[in-house]
């Protein structure tokens, strides 16, 4: 059974939990221990550690003791969803063995409609997370909070700096869209930036997002997987002075972004990578996970698009065709319709809705077609 790949939570953490009050988060989480395994039929969110970072060429062992102590020592909000800590996946004999274990475990959780929160070593683990959706036979939208695009040479092995190339090229190709939040231009070649445009992917510069974090909300609303590279946070806020990062998101911004991911009705998997397993960085990781779970409890269940009675429809004539927007009566959030195009290779089987912002609706009223709508339609045709 795939859960045999999971090692129980360390006894040090179990003893730590016993010392907490009944109000702490740790007292409200069920744990995989030497004696018990959580009843997954009662679980909505599952935390998994993946103690693998060979993809980044690191060799020293690490664990998640610091992270777990900081997380479970926090106080939860008014939460009602059952949370489980399923323990850790230890590195296999080869890194491919770890990938296999991650893919099998996450795929099983996804089928059970459990949201995995994977705390891993290097970001190449995003690849087996993406492959976990193969069994679901659906197109996947991936969002990365990252200062880099992580393209590499096709012939290279999967690494944290090249995993996206494998996702784009490997069969079966289930990737419909990739979005980068927070790239820093000087870390990415012009060829990579041009490739993002050529593939009709979405990319948002660090400065633009930092100036207005809310522009990222529609992107997360359309995501299935969110992969967080913690080196996207500047060192003065993350506490990571091993991989020094002078510029990046601050602590408040990264928590806001991950909270958007939690609120999204569509996000079904969160991965947090490229940390250095230090006490200083553990608090940021803990608070980031806390905000994702907080966001989850504010989901409004508006996706997929349900009864049209709950939405206001706005039609804006344009030169070529009408642009159709929908506004939720419940949350005031906006969507724009991507029309179905009859073609043998069409990736979308019916008209679908793309999350957007009120500002994009106003721009459309001034005859400015939203760029994300145009890119989504182009991917639909190709």
């Amino acid at each position: 059974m795939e859960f045999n790949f999971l090692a129980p939570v360390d006894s040090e953490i179990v003893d730590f939990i016993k010392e907490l009050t009944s109000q702490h988060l740790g007292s409200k989480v069920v744990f995989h221990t030497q004696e018990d395994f959580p009843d997954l039929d009662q679980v909505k969110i599952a935390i998994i550690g993946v103690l693998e970072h060979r993809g980044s060429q690191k060799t020293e062992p690490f664990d998640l003791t610091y992270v777990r102590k900081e997380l479970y020592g926090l106080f939860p909000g008014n939460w009602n969803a059952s949370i489980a800590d399923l323990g850790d996946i230890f590195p296999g004999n080869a890194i491919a063995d770890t990938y296999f274990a991650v893919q099998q475990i996450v795929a099983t959780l996804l089928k059970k409609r459990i949201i995995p929160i994977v705390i891993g070593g290097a970001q190449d683990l995003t690849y087996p997370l993406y492959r976990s959706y193969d069994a679901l036979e659906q197109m996947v939208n991936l969002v990365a909070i990252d200062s880099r695009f992580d393209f590499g040479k096709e012939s290279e092995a999967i690494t944290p700096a090249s995993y996206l190339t494998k996702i784009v090229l490997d069969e079966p190709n289930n990737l419909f869209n990739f979005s980068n939040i927070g790239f820093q231009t000087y870390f990415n070649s012009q060829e990579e930036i041009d490739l993002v445009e050529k593939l009709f992917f979405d990319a948002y510069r660090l400065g633009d997002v930092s100036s207005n974090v809310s522009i990222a909300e529609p992107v997360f609303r359309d995501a299935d997987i969110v992969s967080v590279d913690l080196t996207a946070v500047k060192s003065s806020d993350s506490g990571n002075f091993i991989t020094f990062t002078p510029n990046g998101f601050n602590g408040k911004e990264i928590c806001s972004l991950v909270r958007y991911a939690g609120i999204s009705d569509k996000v079904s998997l969160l991965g947090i990578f490229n940390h250095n397993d230090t006490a200083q960085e553990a608090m940021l990781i803990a608070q980031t996970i806390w905000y994702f779970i907080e966001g989850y409890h504010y989901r409004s269940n508006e996706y997929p698009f349900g009864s049209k009675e709950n939405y206001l429809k706005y039609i804006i004539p344009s030169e070529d065709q009408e642009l159709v927007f929908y506004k939720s009566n419940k949350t005031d959030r906006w969507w724009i319709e991507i029309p179905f195009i009859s073609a043998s290779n069409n990736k979308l089987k019916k008209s679908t809705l793309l999350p957007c912002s009120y500002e994009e609706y106003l721009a459309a009223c001034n005859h400015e077609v939203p760029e994300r709508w145009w890119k989504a339609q182009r991917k639909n045709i190709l």
Side-chain angles (χ1 to χ4, degrees):
M1 185 177 179
E2 56 275 357
F3 295 117
N4 291 336
F5 294 120
L6 287 165
V9 173
D10 191 88
S11 58
E12 181 180 347
I13 298 300
V14 176
D15 293 338
F16 172 79
I17 299 300
K18 293 177 181 177
E19 299 298 321
L20 298 175
T21 71
S22 61
Q23 299 302 312
H24 283 95
L25 176 59
S27 299
K28 302 179 184 299
V29 174
V30 291
F31 292 88
H32 174 199
T33 66
Q34 295 286 356
E35 295 78 24
D36 297 303
F37 191 86
D39 179 4
L40 295 181
D41 291 335
Q42 307 299 320
V43 171
K44 296 297 183 182
I45 297 173
I47 296 170
I48 301 171
V50 184
L51 309 184
E52 173 69 81
H53 58 187
R54 282 176 290 184
S56 60
Q57 307 302 314
K58 293 181 179 179
T59 57
E60 68 276 11
F62 78 101
D63 59 43
L64 297 173
T65 300
Y66 291 132
V67 174
R68 284 188 165 103
K69 285 185 176 181
E70 294 290 358
L71 175 61
Y72 298 136
L74 299 175
F75 292 96
N78 186 22
W79 302 345
N80 51 36
S82 176
I83 304 169
D85 188 329
L86 301 185
D88 296 321
I89 300 174
F90 280 87
N93 292 329
I95 197 168
D97 298 325
T98 308
Y99 291 165
F100 177 81
V102 170
Q103 180 177 340
Q104 294 300 309
I105 291 170
V106 172
T108 301
L109 294 174
L110 292 173
K111 288 180 181 178
K112 292 180 175 291
R113 298 187 178 276
I114 297 172
I115 297 179
I117 299 176
V118 178
I119 314 168
Q123 201 177 13
D124 56 301
L125 291 168
T126 303
Y127 179 77
L129 296 185
Y130 162 73
R131 290 267 73 104
S132 300
Y133 287 78
D134 290 352
L136 301 182
E137 298 181 349
Q138 69 174 64
M139 300 305 295
V140 176
N141 291 336
L142 168 64
V143 174
I145 302 174
D146 202 335
S147 60
R148 295 170 170 83
F149 293 132
D150 296 327
F151 286 112
K153 295 180 180 179
E154 183 177 352
S155 59
E156 289 181 353
I158 304 174
T159 70
S162 67
Y163 74 88
L164 187 57
T165 299
K166 296 296 183 181
I167 288 178
V168 171
L169 295 178
D170 281 10
E171 297 289 343
N173 192 322
N174 301 324
L175 183 68
F176 182 75
N177 192 41
F178 168 76
S179 300
N180 173 283
I181 304 294
F183 81 95
Q184 298 178 39
T185 307
Y186 39 72
F187 285 146
N188 300 277
S189 68
Q190 189 58 50
E191 288 78 7
E192 290 177 301
I193 296 173
D194 292 341
L195 181 58
V196 168
E197 287 295 318
K198 183 179 180 180
L199 295 173
F200 306 111
F201 289 160
D202 303 314
Y204 297 80
R205 292 182 64 173
L206 170 66
D208 293 332
V209 181
S210 293
S211 299
N212 181 13
V213 176
S214 65
I215 66 172
E217 186 276 329
V219 181
F220 288 107
R221 212 185 323 153
D222 200 38
D224 298 289
I225 308 172
V226 175
S227 175
V228 180
D229 182 343
L230 281 173
T231 62
V233 182
K234 56 185 177 181
S235 293
S236 59
D237 281 44
S238 70
N240 177 7
F241 292 97
I242 298 174
T243 306
F244 183 70
T245 306
N247 292 303
F249 291 117
N250 62 35
K252 179 181 178 181
E253 290 163 351
I254 193 67
C255 288
S256 296
L257 292 171
V258 176
R259 188 175 187 274
Y260 283 143
I263 290 175
S264 168
D265 293 314
K266 195 180 180 197
V267 169
S268 53
L269 175 57
L270 172 69
I272 299 176
F273 307 106
N274 290 353
H275 57 92
N276 282 289
D277 190 37
T278 60
Q280 292 82 359
E281 204 171 10
M283 177 55 82
L284 175 67
I285 299 172
Q287 292 185 4
T288 300
I289 295 171
W290 189 97
Y291 272 101
F292 178 83
I293 300 173
E294 172 81 351
Y296 172 84
H297 283 83
Y298 283 95
R299 291 191 172 189
S300 56
N301 299 314
E302 291 181 317
Y303 189 98
F305 184 62
S307 173
K308 293 185 178 180
E309 297 176 357
N310 299 324
Y311 297 79
L312 291 176
K313 183 177 182 180
Y314 297 81
I315 301 176
I316 300 176
S318 65
E319 293 183 2
D320 299 324
Q321 61 182 319
E322 295 177 336
L323 295 179
V324 180
F325 287 83
Y326 291 90
K327 177 186 176 183
S328 167
N329 293 332
K330 185 176 182 181
T331 63
D332 289 338
R333 296 191 294 186
W334 289 79
W335 286 261
I336 185 172
E337 186 174 84
I338 304 174
F340 169 73
I341 299 174
S342 179
S344 60
N345 61 343
N346 180 32
K347 292 184 178 181
L348 299 177
K349 303 305 180 185
K350 60 181 179 180
S351 296
T352 188
L353 295 183
L354 179 71
C356 66
S357 65
Y358 175 60
E359 287 74 19
E360 287 174 307
Y361 163 73
L362 293 179
C365 291
N366 291 320
H367 309 290
E368 297 178 19
V369 176
E371 184 177 0
R372 291 184 66 241
W373 178 89
W374 180 83
K375 288 181 177 179
Q377 192 170 35
R378 290 292 299 170
K379 285 196 289 284
N380 190 21
I381 295 172
L382 296 176

